[in-house]
Coordinates of all heavy atoms in Angstrom, one line a residue:
M1 N -10.3 18.9 -11.9 CA -9.6 18.2 -10.8 C -8.2 18.0 -11.2 O -7.9 17.4 -12.3 CB -10.3 16.9 -10.5 CG -9.8 16.2 -9.3 SD -11.0 14.9 -8.9 CE -9.9 13.7 -8.3
A2 N -7.2 18.4 -10.4 CA -5.8 18.1 -10.8 C -5.4 16.7 -10.5 O -5.8 16.1 -9.5 CB -4.9 19.1 -9.9
T3 N -4.6 16.2 -11.4 CA -4.1 14.8 -11.2 C -2.9 14.8 -10.2 O -2.1 15.8 -10.2 CB -3.7 14.2 -12.5 OG1 -2.7 14.9 -13.1 CG2 -4.9 14.0 -13.4
K4 N -2.8 13.8 -9.5 CA -1.7 13.7 -8.5 C -0.4 13.2 -9.3 O -0.5 12.3 -10.2 CB -2.0 12.7 -7.4 CG -3.1 13.2 -6.5 CD -3.4 12.2 -5.5 CE -4.6 12.6 -4.6 NZ -4.8 11.7 -3.5
K5 N 0.7 13.7 -8.9 CA 2.0 13.3 -9.5 C 2.4 12.0 -9.0 O 2.6 11.8 -7.8 CB 3.0 14.4 -9.2 CG 4.4 14.1 -9.8 CD 5.4 15.1 -9.5 CE 6.8 14.7 -10.0 NZ 7.8 15.6 -9.5
A6 N 2.7 11.1 -9.9 CA 3.2 9.7 -9.5 C 4.6 9.8 -9.1 O 5.4 10.5 -9.7 CB 3.0 8.8 -10.7
I7 N 4.9 9.2 -8.0 CA 6.3 9.2 -7.5 C 7.0 7.9 -7.8 O 8.1 7.8 -8.3 CB 6.3 9.4 -6.0 CG1 5.7 10.7 -5.6 CG2 7.7 9.2 -5.4 CD1 5.5 11.0 -4.2
S8 N 6.3 6.7 -7.6 CA 6.9 5.4 -7.9 C 5.8 4.4 -8.1 O 4.7 4.6 -7.6 CB 7.8 5.1 -6.7 OG 8.4 3.8 -6.9
A9 N 6.1 3.3 -8.7 CA 5.2 2.2 -8.9 C 5.9 0.9 -8.9 O 7.1 0.8 -9.3 CB 4.4 2.4 -10.2
G10 N 5.2 -0.1 -8.5 CA 5.9 -1.5 -8.5 C 4.8 -2.6 -8.3 O 3.7 -2.3 -8.0
T11 N 5.3 -3.8 -8.6 CA 4.4 -5.0 -8.5 C 5.1 -5.9 -7.5 O 6.3 -6.2 -7.6 CB 4.2 -5.6 -9.9 OG1 3.7 -4.7 -10.8 CG2 3.3 -6.8 -9.8
G12 N 4.3 -6.5 -6.6 CA 4.8 -7.5 -5.7 C 3.9 -8.7 -5.8 O 2.8 -8.7 -6.1
R13 N 4.6 -9.9 -5.5 CA 3.9 -11.1 -5.5 C 4.3 -12.0 -4.3 O 5.4 -11.9 -3.8 CB 4.3 -11.9 -6.8 CG 3.8 -11.3 -8.0 CD 4.1 -12.1 -9.3 NE 3.6 -11.4 -10.5 CZ 4.2 -10.5 -11.1 NH1 5.4 -10.0 -10.7 NH2 3.7 -9.9 -12.2
R14 N 3.3 -12.7 -3.8 CA 3.5 -13.6 -2.7 C 2.5 -14.8 -2.9 O 1.3 -14.6 -2.9 CB 3.2 -12.9 -1.4 CG 3.1 -13.7 -0.1 CD 4.5 -13.8 0.5 NE 4.3 -14.4 1.8 CZ 4.6 -15.7 2.1 NH1 5.1 -16.5 1.1 NH2 4.5 -16.2 3.3
K15 N 3.1 -16.0 -3.0 CA 2.2 -17.1 -3.3 C 1.3 -16.9 -4.5 O 1.9 -16.7 -5.6 CB 1.5 -17.6 -2.0 CG 2.3 -18.0 -0.9 CD 1.5 -18.5 0.3 CE 2.4 -19.0 1.4 NZ 1.6 -19.6 2.5
T16 N 0.0 -16.9 -4.3 CA -0.9 -16.6 -5.5 C -1.4 -15.2 -5.5 O -2.3 -14.9 -6.3 CB -2.0 -17.6 -5.5 OG1 -2.8 -17.5 -4.3 CG2 -1.5 -19.1 -5.6
A17 N -0.9 -14.4 -4.6 CA -1.4 -13.0 -4.5 C -0.5 -12.1 -5.3 O 0.7 -12.3 -5.4 CB -1.5 -12.5 -3.1
T18 N -1.1 -11.1 -6.0 CA -0.4 -10.1 -6.7 C -0.9 -8.7 -6.3 O -2.1 -8.5 -6.1 CB -0.6 -10.2 -8.2 OG1 -0.2 -11.6 -8.6 CG2 0.2 -9.2 -9.0
A19 N 0.1 -7.7 -6.2 CA -0.3 -6.4 -5.8 C 0.4 -5.4 -6.7 O 1.6 -5.5 -6.9 CB 0.0 -6.1 -4.4
R20 N -0.3 -4.4 -7.2 CA 0.3 -3.3 -7.9 C 0.2 -2.1 -7.0 O -0.9 -1.7 -6.5 CB -0.5 -3.0 -9.2 CG -0.3 -4.1 -10.3 CD -1.0 -3.8 -11.6 NE -2.4 -3.8 -11.3 CZ -3.3 -2.9 -11.8 NH1 -2.8 -1.9 -12.6 NH2 -4.6 -3.0 -11.6
V21 N 1.3 -1.5 -6.7 CA 1.4 -0.4 -5.7 C 1.9 0.9 -6.4 O 2.9 0.8 -7.1 CB 2.4 -0.8 -4.6 CG1 2.4 0.3 -3.5 CG2 1.9 -2.1 -3.9
N22 N 1.2 2.0 -6.2 CA 1.6 3.3 -6.7 C 1.7 4.3 -5.6 O 0.8 4.4 -4.7 CB 0.5 3.8 -7.7 CG 0.4 2.9 -8.9 OD1 1.3 2.7 -9.6 ND2 -0.8 2.3 -9.0
L23 N 2.8 5.0 -5.6 CA 3.0 6.1 -4.6 C 2.8 7.3 -5.4 O 3.4 7.6 -6.5 CB 4.5 6.1 -4.1 CG 4.9 4.9 -3.3 CD1 6.4 5.0 -2.9 CD2 4.1 4.7 -2.1
V24 N 1.9 8.2 -4.9 CA 1.6 9.4 -5.5 C 1.6 10.6 -4.4 O 1.5 10.3 -3.2 CB 0.2 9.4 -6.2 CG1 0.1 8.4 -7.3 CG2 -0.9 9.1 -5.2
E25 N 1.8 11.8 -4.9 CA 1.7 12.9 -4.0 C 0.4 12.9 -3.2 O -0.7 12.7 -3.9 CB 1.9 14.2 -4.7 CG 3.3 14.5 -5.3 CD 3.4 15.8 -6.0 OE1 2.3 16.3 -6.4 OE2 4.5 16.2 -6.2
G26 N 0.4 13.2 -2.0 CA -0.9 13.2 -1.2 C -0.7 13.6 0.2 O 0.2 14.3 0.6
K27 N -1.5 13.0 1.1 CA -1.6 13.4 2.5 C -1.4 12.2 3.4 O -1.8 12.2 4.6 CB -2.9 14.0 2.8 CG -3.1 15.3 2.0 CD -4.4 16.0 2.3 CE -4.6 17.2 1.5 NZ -5.9 17.8 1.7
G28 N -0.8 11.1 2.9 CA -0.6 9.9 3.8 C -1.7 8.9 3.8 O -1.8 8.1 4.7
N29 N -2.6 9.0 2.8 CA -3.7 8.0 2.8 C -3.3 6.7 2.1 O -2.5 6.7 1.1 CB -4.9 8.6 2.0 CG -5.4 9.8 2.7 OD1 -5.5 9.9 3.9 ND2 -5.8 10.8 1.9
W30 N -3.8 5.6 2.6 CA -3.6 4.3 2.0 C -4.9 3.7 1.5 O -5.8 3.7 2.3 CB -3.0 3.3 3.0 CG -1.5 3.5 3.3 CD1 -1.0 4.6 3.9 CD2 -0.4 2.6 3.0 NE1 0.4 4.4 4.1 CE2 0.7 3.2 3.5 CE3 -0.4 1.4 2.4 CZ2 2.0 2.6 3.4 CZ3 0.9 0.7 2.3 CH2 2.0 1.3 2.8
T31 N -5.0 3.3 0.3 CA -6.2 2.6 -0.2 C -5.8 1.3 -0.9 O -4.8 1.2 -1.6 CB -7.0 3.5 -1.2 OG1 -6.2 3.8 -2.3 CG2 -7.5 4.7 -0.5
V32 N -6.6 0.3 -0.6 CA -6.4 -1.0 -1.2 C -7.7 -1.4 -1.9 O -8.8 -1.5 -1.3 CB -6.1 -2.1 -0.2 CG1 -5.9 -3.5 -0.9 CG2 -4.8 -1.7 0.6
N33 N -7.7 -1.5 -3.2 CA -8.9 -1.8 -4.1 C -10.0 -0.8 -3.8 O -11.2 -1.2 -3.7 CB -9.4 -3.3 -3.8 CG -8.3 -4.3 -4.2 OD1 -7.5 -4.0 -5.1 ND2 -8.4 -5.5 -3.7
G34 N -9.6 0.4 -3.6 CA -10.6 1.5 -3.5 C -11.2 1.6 -2.1 O -12.1 2.4 -1.8
V35 N -10.6 0.9 -1.1 CA -11.1 0.9 0.3 C -10.0 1.3 1.2 O -8.8 1.0 0.9 CB -11.6 -0.6 0.7 CG1 -12.0 -0.6 2.1 CG2 -12.7 -1.1 -0.2
A36 N -10.3 2.1 2.2 CA -9.3 2.5 3.1 C -8.6 1.3 3.8 O -9.2 0.3 4.0 CB -9.9 3.4 4.3
L37 N -7.3 1.5 4.0 CA -6.5 0.4 4.5 C -7.0 -0.2 5.8 O -7.0 -1.4 6.0 CB -5.0 0.8 4.7 CG -4.0 -0.2 5.3 CD1 -3.8 -1.3 4.2 CD2 -2.7 0.5 5.6
E38 N -7.5 0.7 6.7 CA -8.0 0.2 8.0 C -9.2 -0.7 7.8 O -9.5 -1.6 8.6 CB -8.4 1.4 8.9 CG -7.2 2.2 9.3 CD -6.6 3.1 8.2 OE1 -7.3 3.4 7.2 OE2 -5.5 3.5 8.4
Q39 N -10.0 -0.5 6.8 CA -11.2 -1.3 6.5 C -10.8 -2.6 5.8 O -11.4 -3.7 6.0 CB -12.2 -0.6 5.7 CG -12.8 0.5 6.4 CD -13.8 1.3 5.5 OE1 -13.7 1.3 4.3 NE2 -14.7 2.1 6.2
Y40 N -9.8 -2.5 4.9 CA -9.4 -3.7 4.1 C -8.6 -4.7 5.0 O -8.8 -5.9 4.9 CB -8.6 -3.3 2.9 CG -8.4 -4.3 1.9 CD1 -9.4 -4.6 0.9 CD2 -7.3 -5.1 1.8 CE1 -9.3 -5.5 0.0 CE2 -7.2 -6.1 0.8 CZ -8.2 -6.3 -0.1 OH -8.0 -7.3 -1.0
L41 N -7.7 -4.2 5.8 CA -6.9 -5.0 6.7 C -7.2 -4.7 8.2 O -6.7 -3.7 8.7 CB -5.4 -4.8 6.5 CG -4.9 -5.3 5.1 CD1 -3.4 -4.9 5.0 CD2 -5.0 -6.8 5.0
P42 N -8.1 -5.4 8.8 CA -8.5 -5.1 10.2 C -7.3 -5.2 11.2 O -7.4 -4.7 12.3 CB -9.6 -6.0 10.5 CG -9.6 -7.1 9.5 CD -8.8 -6.5 8.3
S43 N -6.3 -6.0 10.8 CA -5.2 -6.3 11.8 C -4.2 -5.2 11.8 O -3.6 -4.8 10.7 CB -4.5 -7.6 11.4 OG -3.3 -7.7 12.0
E44 N -4.0 -4.6 12.9 CA -3.0 -3.5 13.0 C -1.6 -4.0 12.8 O -0.8 -3.3 12.2 CB -3.1 -2.9 14.4 CG -2.2 -1.6 14.6 CD -2.4 -0.9 15.9 OE1 -3.3 -1.2 16.6 OE2 -1.5 -0.1 16.2
A45 N -1.3 -5.2 13.1 CA 0.0 -5.8 12.9 C 0.3 -5.9 11.4 O 1.4 -5.6 11.0 CB 0.1 -7.2 13.5
L46 N -0.7 -6.3 10.6 CA -0.5 -6.3 9.1 C -0.3 -4.9 8.5 O 0.5 -4.7 7.6 CB -1.7 -7.1 8.4 CG -1.7 -8.6 8.5 CD1 -2.9 -9.1 7.8 CD2 -0.4 -9.2 7.9
R47 N -1.1 -4.0 9.1 CA -0.9 -2.6 8.6 C 0.4 -2.1 8.9 O 1.1 -1.4 8.0 CB -2.0 -1.7 9.2 CG -3.4 -2.0 8.7 CD -4.4 -1.0 9.0 NE -4.5 -0.6 10.4 CZ -5.4 -1.1 11.3 NH1 -6.3 -2.0 10.8 NH2 -5.4 -0.8 12.5
D48 N 0.9 -2.3 10.1 CA 2.3 -1.8 10.4 C 3.3 -2.5 9.5 O 4.3 -1.9 9.1 CB 2.6 -2.1 11.9 CG 1.8 -1.2 12.8 OD1 1.3 -0.2 12.3 OD2 1.7 -1.5 14.0
Y49 N 3.1 -3.8 9.3 CA 4.0 -4.6 8.4 C 4.1 -4.0 7.0 O 5.2 -3.9 6.4 CB 3.4 -6.0 8.4 CG 4.1 -7.0 7.5 CD1 5.4 -7.5 7.8 CD2 3.5 -7.5 6.3 CE1 6.0 -8.5 7.0 CE2 4.1 -8.4 5.5 CZ 5.4 -8.9 5.8 OH 6.0 -9.8 5.0
L50 N 3.0 -3.5 6.5 CA 2.9 -2.9 5.2 C 3.7 -1.6 5.1 O 4.2 -1.2 4.1 CB 1.5 -2.7 4.7 CG 0.6 -3.9 4.5 CD1 -0.7 -3.5 4.0 CD2 1.3 -4.8 3.5
K51 N 3.6 -0.8 6.2 CA 4.1 0.5 6.2 C 5.6 0.6 6.4 O 6.2 1.6 6.1 CB 3.4 1.4 7.2 CG 1.9 1.6 6.9 CD 1.2 2.4 8.0 CE -0.3 2.6 7.6 NZ -1.0 3.4 8.6
Q52 N 6.2 -0.4 6.8 CA 7.7 -0.4 7.1 C 8.5 -0.1 5.9 O 9.4 0.8 6.0 CB 8.1 -1.7 7.7 CG 7.7 -2.0 9.1 CD 8.1 -3.4 9.6 OE1 8.4 -4.2 8.8 NE2 7.9 -3.5 10.9
P53 N 8.3 -0.7 4.7 CA 9.2 -0.4 3.6 C 9.1 1.1 3.1 O 10.1 1.7 2.7 CB 8.7 -1.3 2.5 CG 8.0 -2.4 3.2 CD 7.4 -1.8 4.4
V54 N 7.9 1.7 3.2 CA 7.7 3.1 2.8 C 8.5 4.0 3.8 O 9.1 4.9 3.4 CB 6.2 3.5 2.7 CG1 6.1 4.9 2.3 CG2 5.6 2.6 1.6
A55 N 8.3 3.7 5.1 CA 9.0 4.5 6.1 C 10.5 4.4 6.0 O 11.2 5.4 6.1 CB 8.5 4.1 7.5
I56 N 11.0 3.2 5.8 CA 12.4 3.0 5.7 C 13.0 3.6 4.4 O 14.2 4.1 4.5 CB 12.8 1.4 5.7 CG1 12.4 0.9 7.1 CG2 14.2 1.2 5.3 CD1 12.5 -0.6 7.2
S57 N 12.3 3.7 3.4 CA 12.8 4.2 2.1 C 13.0 5.7 2.2 O 13.7 6.3 1.3 CB 11.8 3.9 1.0 OG 10.6 4.6 1.2
G58 N 12.6 6.4 3.2 CA 12.9 7.8 3.4 C 11.7 8.7 2.9 O 11.9 9.9 2.9
Y59 N 10.6 8.2 2.4 CA 9.5 9.0 2.0 C 8.8 9.6 3.2 O 8.7 8.9 4.2 CB 8.5 8.2 1.2 CG 8.9 7.9 -0.2 CD1 9.2 6.6 -0.5 CD2 9.1 8.8 -1.2 CE1 9.6 6.2 -1.8 CE2 9.5 8.5 -2.5 CZ 9.8 7.2 -2.8 OH 10.2 6.9 -4.0
D60 N 8.4 10.9 3.1 CA 7.6 11.5 4.2 C 6.2 10.9 4.1 O 5.5 11.1 3.2 CB 7.6 13.0 4.0 CG 6.9 13.7 5.1 OD1 6.3 13.0 6.0 OD2 6.9 14.9 5.1
M61 N 5.8 10.1 5.1 CA 4.6 9.4 5.1 C 3.4 10.3 5.1 O 2.3 9.9 4.7 CB 4.5 8.5 6.4 CG 5.5 7.4 6.4 SD 5.2 6.1 5.3 CE 3.8 5.3 6.0
E62 N 3.5 11.6 5.4 CA 2.5 12.6 5.4 C 2.3 13.2 4.1 O 1.4 14.0 3.9 CB 2.7 13.6 6.5 CG 2.7 13.0 7.9 CD 1.5 12.3 8.3 OE1 0.4 12.8 8.0 OE2 1.6 11.2 8.9
K63 N 3.2 13.0 3.1 CA 3.2 13.6 1.8 C 3.0 12.6 0.7 O 3.0 13.0 -0.5 CB 4.4 14.5 1.6 CG 4.6 15.6 2.5 CD 5.8 16.4 2.2 CE 5.9 17.6 3.2 NZ 7.1 18.4 2.9
V64 N 2.8 11.4 1.0 CA 2.7 10.3 0.0 C 1.4 9.5 0.2 O 1.1 9.1 1.4 CB 3.9 9.4 0.1 CG1 3.7 8.2 -0.9 CG2 5.2 10.1 -0.2
D65 N 0.6 9.4 -0.8 CA -0.5 8.4 -0.8 C -0.1 7.1 -1.4 O 0.7 7.1 -2.4 CB -1.7 9.0 -1.6 CG -2.5 10.1 -0.8 OD1 -2.2 10.3 0.3 OD2 -3.4 10.7 -1.5
V66 N -0.6 6.0 -0.9 CA -0.3 4.7 -1.4 C -1.6 4.1 -1.9 O -2.5 3.9 -1.2 CB 0.4 3.8 -0.3 CG1 0.7 2.4 -0.9 CG2 1.6 4.4 0.3
V67 N -1.6 3.8 -3.3 CA -2.8 3.3 -3.9 C -2.4 1.9 -4.4 O -1.5 1.7 -5.1 CB -3.2 4.2 -5.1 CG1 -4.4 3.6 -5.8 CG2 -3.4 5.6 -4.7
V68 N -3.2 0.9 -3.9 CA -2.9 -0.5 -4.1 C -4.0 -1.2 -4.8 O -5.2 -1.0 -4.4 CB -2.6 -1.2 -2.8 CG1 -2.2 -2.7 -3.0 CG2 -1.4 -0.5 -2.0
Y69 N -3.7 -2.1 -5.8 CA -4.7 -3.0 -6.4 C -4.2 -4.4 -6.1 O -3.1 -4.7 -6.7 CB -4.8 -2.7 -7.9 CG -5.3 -1.3 -8.1 CD1 -4.4 -0.3 -8.5 CD2 -6.6 -0.9 -8.0 CE1 -4.8 1.0 -8.7 CE2 -7.1 0.4 -8.2 CZ -6.2 1.3 -8.6 OH -6.6 2.6 -8.7
A70 N -4.9 -5.1 -5.3 CA -4.4 -6.5 -4.9 C -5.5 -7.5 -5.4 O -6.7 -7.2 -5.3 CB -4.2 -6.6 -3.4
K71 N -5.0 -8.7 -5.7 CA -5.9 -9.8 -6.1 C -5.2 -11.1 -5.8 O -4.0 -11.2 -5.7 CB -6.3 -9.7 -7.6 CG -5.2 -9.9 -8.5 CD -5.7 -9.8 -10.0 CE -4.6 -10.0 -10.9 NZ -5.0 -10.0 -12.3
G72 N -6.1 -12.1 -5.7 CA -5.6 -13.5 -5.5 C -5.2 -13.7 -4.0 O -5.0 -12.8 -3.3
G73 N -5.1 -15.0 -3.7 CA -4.6 -15.4 -2.3 C -5.6 -14.9 -1.3 O -6.7 -14.5 -1.5
G74 N -5.1 -14.9 -0.1 CA -5.9 -14.5 1.1 C -5.3 -13.1 1.6 O -4.5 -12.5 0.9
I75 N -5.9 -12.7 2.7 CA -5.5 -11.3 3.2 C -4.0 -11.3 3.5 O -3.3 -10.4 3.2 CB -6.3 -11.0 4.4 CG1 -7.8 -10.8 4.0 CG2 -5.8 -9.7 5.1 CD1 -8.0 -9.7 3.1
S76 N -3.5 -12.3 4.2 CA -2.1 -12.4 4.6 C -1.2 -12.4 3.3 O -0.1 -11.7 3.3 CB -1.8 -13.6 5.5 OG -0.5 -13.6 5.8
G77 N -1.5 -13.2 2.3 CA -0.8 -13.3 1.1 C -0.8 -11.9 0.4 O 0.3 -11.5 -0.2
Q78 N -1.9 -11.3 0.4 CA -2.0 -9.9 -0.3 C -1.1 -8.9 0.5 O -0.5 -8.1 -0.1 CB -3.4 -9.5 -0.4 CG -4.2 -10.2 -1.4 CD -5.6 -9.7 -1.5 OE1 -6.0 -8.7 -0.9 NE2 -6.4 -10.3 -2.4
A79 N -1.1 -9.0 1.8 CA -0.3 -8.1 2.6 C 1.2 -8.3 2.2 O 1.9 -7.4 2.1 CB -0.5 -8.3 4.1
G80 N 1.6 -9.6 2.1 CA 3.0 -9.9 1.7 C 3.3 -9.4 0.3 O 4.4 -8.8 0.1
A81 N 2.4 -9.5 -0.6 CA 2.5 -9.0 -2.0 C 2.7 -7.5 -2.0 O 3.5 -6.9 -2.7 CB 1.4 -9.4 -2.9
I82 N 1.8 -6.8 -1.2 CA 1.9 -5.3 -1.1 C 3.2 -4.9 -0.5 O 3.9 -4.0 -1.0 CB 0.7 -4.8 -0.2 CG1 -0.6 -5.1 -0.9 CG2 0.9 -3.3 0.1 CD1 -1.8 -4.9 0.0
R83 N 3.7 -5.6 0.5 CA 5.0 -5.2 1.1 C 6.1 -5.4 0.1 O 7.1 -4.6 0.1 CB 5.2 -6.1 2.3 CG 6.5 -5.7 3.0 CD 6.8 -6.5 4.3 NE 8.1 -6.3 4.7 CZ 8.5 -5.9 5.8 NH1 7.6 -5.5 6.7 NH2 9.8 -5.8 6.2
H84 N 6.1 -6.4 -0.7 CA 7.2 -6.7 -1.7 C 7.2 -5.5 -2.7 O 8.2 -5.1 -3.2 CB 7.0 -8.0 -2.5 CG 7.4 -9.1 -1.7 ND1 8.3 -10.0 -2.1 CD2 7.0 -9.6 -0.5 CE1 8.5 -11.0 -1.2 NE2 7.6 -10.7 -0.2

């Protein structure tokens, strides 16, 4: 199995939540703690909120996978940490 090429990585914090975010070559999939983004964050508003920085940065959303490890805080705090 070929490994995916890492594009960028960063850490975000919001209140007591921390998120490690990795951008890798892929097909536009988002996973948070090993779960699809749609399952982890049921709110479409929060999902759109998370995707704004990646879209604004100029990455092709269909060629980048976003892999997130989040902990602490609540769902809203984790969403803010992921966005940072």
Side-chain angles (χ1 to χ4, degrees):
M1 184 167 148
T3 59
K4 295 181 180 182
K5 181 181 174 189
I7 297 171
S8 183
T11 302
R13 293 182 178 85
R14 170 92 169 101
K15 296 185 178 183
T16 60
T18 302
R20 290 181 295 137
V21 179
N22 296 298
L23 298 178
V24 296
E25 289 180 342
K27 299 180 180 178
N29 299 320
W30 285 65
T31 57
V32 181
N33 296 337
V35 178
L37 180 64
E38 292 76 19
Q39 293 176 340
Y40 196 81
L41 293 175
S43 168
E44 186 174 348
L46 281 178
R47 290 194 305 263
D48 291 342
Y49 176 72
L50 295 182
K51 293 179 180 181
Q52 287 175 348
V54 177
I56 291 171
S57 66
Y59 288 110
D60 184 355
M61 296 288 287
E62 300 299 320
K63 294 183 179 180
V64 175
D65 283 352
V66 181
V67 181
V68 180
Y69 300 98
K71 64 179 181 177
I75 294 296
S76 181
Q78 287 182 4
I82 294 168
R83 183 182 165 119
H84 282 239

